[in-house]
PDB file of all heavy atoms in Angstrom:
ATOM      1  N   HIS H 202      80.574  91.047 103.502  1.00  0.00           N
ATOM      2  CA  HIS H 202      81.393  90.612 104.649  1.00  0.00           C
ATOM      3  C   HIS H 202      82.608  89.850 104.217  1.00  0.00           C
ATOM      4  O   HIS H 202      83.671  90.059 104.767  1.00  0.00           O
ATOM      5  CB  HIS H 202      80.557  89.795 105.626  1.00  0.00           C
ATOM      6  CG  HIS H 202      79.584  90.571 106.425  1.00  0.00           C
ATOM      7  ND1 HIS H 202      79.912  91.540 107.307  1.00  0.00           N
ATOM      8  CD2 HIS H 202      78.206  90.553 106.477  1.00  0.00           C
ATOM      9  CE1 HIS H 202      78.820  92.069 107.885  1.00  0.00           C
ATOM     10  NE2 HIS H 202      77.791  91.472 107.363  1.00  0.00           N
ATOM     11  N   ARG H 203      82.443  89.007 103.227  1.00  0.00           N
ATOM     12  CA  ARG H 203      83.600  88.289 102.722  1.00  0.00           C
ATOM     13  C   ARG H 203      84.610  89.190 101.999  1.00  0.00           C
ATOM     14  O   ARG H 203      85.825  89.069 102.217  1.00  0.00           O
ATOM     15  CB  ARG H 203      83.099  87.175 101.722  1.00  0.00           C
ATOM     16  CG  ARG H 203      82.331  86.078 102.370  1.00  0.00           C
ATOM     17  CD  ARG H 203      81.919  85.009 101.381  1.00  0.00           C
ATOM     18  NE  ARG H 203      83.143  84.297 100.888  1.00  0.00           N
ATOM     19  CZ  ARG H 203      83.141  83.407  99.948  1.00  0.00           C
ATOM     20  NH1 ARG H 203      81.984  83.117  99.288  1.00  0.00           N
ATOM     21  NH2 ARG H 203      84.228  82.800  99.530  1.00  0.00           N
ATOM     22  N   LEU H 204      84.113  90.192 101.290  1.00  0.00           N
ATOM     23  CA  LEU H 204      85.031  91.156 100.632  1.00  0.00           C
ATOM     24  C   LEU H 204      85.817  91.912 101.677  1.00  0.00           C
ATOM     25  O   LEU H 204      87.015  92.158 101.575  1.00  0.00           O
ATOM     26  CB  LEU H 204      84.240  92.082  99.725  1.00  0.00           C
ATOM     27  CG  LEU H 204      83.661  91.478  98.439  1.00  0.00           C
ATOM     28  CD1 LEU H 204      82.728  92.441  97.750  1.00  0.00           C
ATOM     29  CD2 LEU H 204      84.774  90.985  97.480  1.00  0.00           C
ATOM     30  N   ILE H 205      85.107  92.417 102.692  1.00  0.00           N
ATOM     31  CA  ILE H 205      85.756  93.196 103.733  1.00  0.00           C
ATOM     32  C   ILE H 205      86.824  92.360 104.442  1.00  0.00           C
ATOM     33  O   ILE H 205      87.901  92.803 104.766  1.00  0.00           O
ATOM     34  CB  ILE H 205      84.699  93.775 104.746  1.00  0.00           C
ATOM     35  CG1 ILE H 205      83.835  94.796 104.004  1.00  0.00           C
ATOM     36  CG2 ILE H 205      85.377  94.405 105.963  1.00  0.00           C
ATOM     37  CD1 ILE H 205      82.636  95.273 104.852  1.00  0.00           C
ATOM     38  N   ALA H 206      86.478  91.085 104.730  1.00  0.00           N
ATOM     39  CA  ALA H 206      87.402  90.229 105.412  1.00  0.00           C
ATOM     40  C   ALA H 206      88.684  90.010 104.573  1.00  0.00           C
ATOM     41  O   ALA H 206      89.779  90.026 105.042  1.00  0.00           O
ATOM     42  CB  ALA H 206      86.794  88.851 105.702  1.00  0.00           C
ATOM     43  N   GLU H 207      88.509  89.853 103.211  1.00  0.00           N
ATOM     44  CA  GLU H 207      89.676  89.721 102.310  1.00  0.00           C
ATOM     45  C   GLU H 207      90.496  90.980 102.208  1.00  0.00           C
ATOM     46  O   GLU H 207      91.718  90.987 102.140  1.00  0.00           O
ATOM     47  CB  GLU H 207      89.208  89.340 100.929  1.00  0.00           C
ATOM     48  CG  GLU H 207      88.545  87.960 100.823  1.00  0.00           C
ATOM     49  CD  GLU H 207      89.457  86.830 101.160  1.00  0.00           C
ATOM     50  OE1 GLU H 207      90.664  86.994 100.959  1.00  0.00           O
ATOM     51  OE2 GLU H 207      88.979  85.789 101.627  1.00  0.00           O
ATOM     52  N   LEU H 208      89.796  92.153 102.287  1.00  0.00           N
ATOM     53  CA  LEU H 208      90.522  93.451 102.134  1.00  0.00           C
ATOM     54  C   LEU H 208      91.073  94.025 103.385  1.00  0.00           C
ATOM     55  O   LEU H 208      91.809  94.974 103.384  1.00  0.00           O
ATOM     56  CB  LEU H 208      89.571  94.485 101.501  1.00  0.00           C
ATOM     57  CG  LEU H 208      89.143  94.213 100.024  1.00  0.00           C
ATOM     58  CD1 LEU H 208      87.966  95.104  99.662  1.00  0.00           C
ATOM     59  CD2 LEU H 208      90.304  94.413  99.103  1.00  0.00           C
ATOM     60  N   ALA H 209      90.755  93.347 104.538  1.00  0.00           N
ATOM     61  CA  ALA H 209      91.347  93.850 105.768  1.00  0.00           C
ATOM     62  C   ALA H 209      92.885  93.728 105.825  1.00  0.00           C
ATOM     63  O   ALA H 209      93.571  94.504 106.445  1.00  0.00           O
ATOM     64  CB  ALA H 209      90.763  93.064 106.940  1.00  0.00           C
ATOM     65  N   GLY H 210      93.382  92.721 105.095  1.00  0.00           N
ATOM     66  CA  GLY H 210      94.822  92.543 105.029  1.00  0.00           C
ATOM     67  C   GLY H 210      95.511  93.369 103.977  1.00  0.00           C
ATOM     68  O   GLY H 210      96.681  93.759 104.098  1.00  0.00           O
ATOM     69  N   ASP H 211      94.809  93.551 102.873  1.00  0.00           N
ATOM     70  CA  ASP H 211      95.403  94.265 101.734  1.00  0.00           C
ATOM     71  C   ASP H 211      94.287  94.867 100.928  1.00  0.00           C
ATOM     72  O   ASP H 211      93.592  94.201 100.168  1.00  0.00           O
ATOM     73  CB  ASP H 211      96.214  93.299 100.871  1.00  0.00           C
ATOM     74  CG  ASP H 211      96.856  93.981  99.626  1.00  0.00           C
ATOM     75  OD1 ASP H 211      96.735  95.189  99.539  1.00  0.00           O
ATOM     76  OD2 ASP H 211      97.389  93.264  98.797  1.00  0.00           O
ATOM     77  N   ALA H 212      94.102  96.193 101.041  1.00  0.00           N
ATOM     78  CA  ALA H 212      93.015  96.889 100.356  1.00  0.00           C
ATOM     79  C   ALA H 212      93.240  97.011  98.844  1.00  0.00           C
ATOM     80  O   ALA H 212      92.341  97.414  98.121  1.00  0.00           O
ATOM     81  CB  ALA H 212      92.855  98.308 100.928  1.00  0.00           C
ATOM     82  N   ARG H 213      94.429  96.637  98.374  1.00  0.00           N
ATOM     83  CA  ARG H 213      94.722  96.767  96.940  1.00  0.00           C
ATOM     84  C   ARG H 213      94.621  95.425  96.191  1.00  0.00           C
ATOM     85  O   ARG H 213      95.035  95.316  95.048  1.00  0.00           O
ATOM     86  CB  ARG H 213      96.142  97.306  96.756  1.00  0.00           C
ATOM     87  CG  ARG H 213      96.160  98.797  97.185  1.00  0.00           C
ATOM     88  CD  ARG H 213      97.509  99.442  96.854  1.00  0.00           C
ATOM     89  NE  ARG H 213      97.787  99.429  95.417  1.00  0.00           N
ATOM     90  CZ  ARG H 213      97.265 100.206  94.485  1.00  0.00           C
ATOM     91  NH1 ARG H 213      96.336 101.098  94.891  1.00  0.00           N
ATOM     92  NH2 ARG H 213      97.563 100.104  93.207  1.00  0.00           N
TER      93      ARG H 213
END
Side-chain angles (χ1 to χ4, degrees):
H202 287 297
R203 293 184 65 187
L204 289 172
I205 292 170
E207 295 295 333
L208 292 168
D211 179 7
R213 291 189 58 78

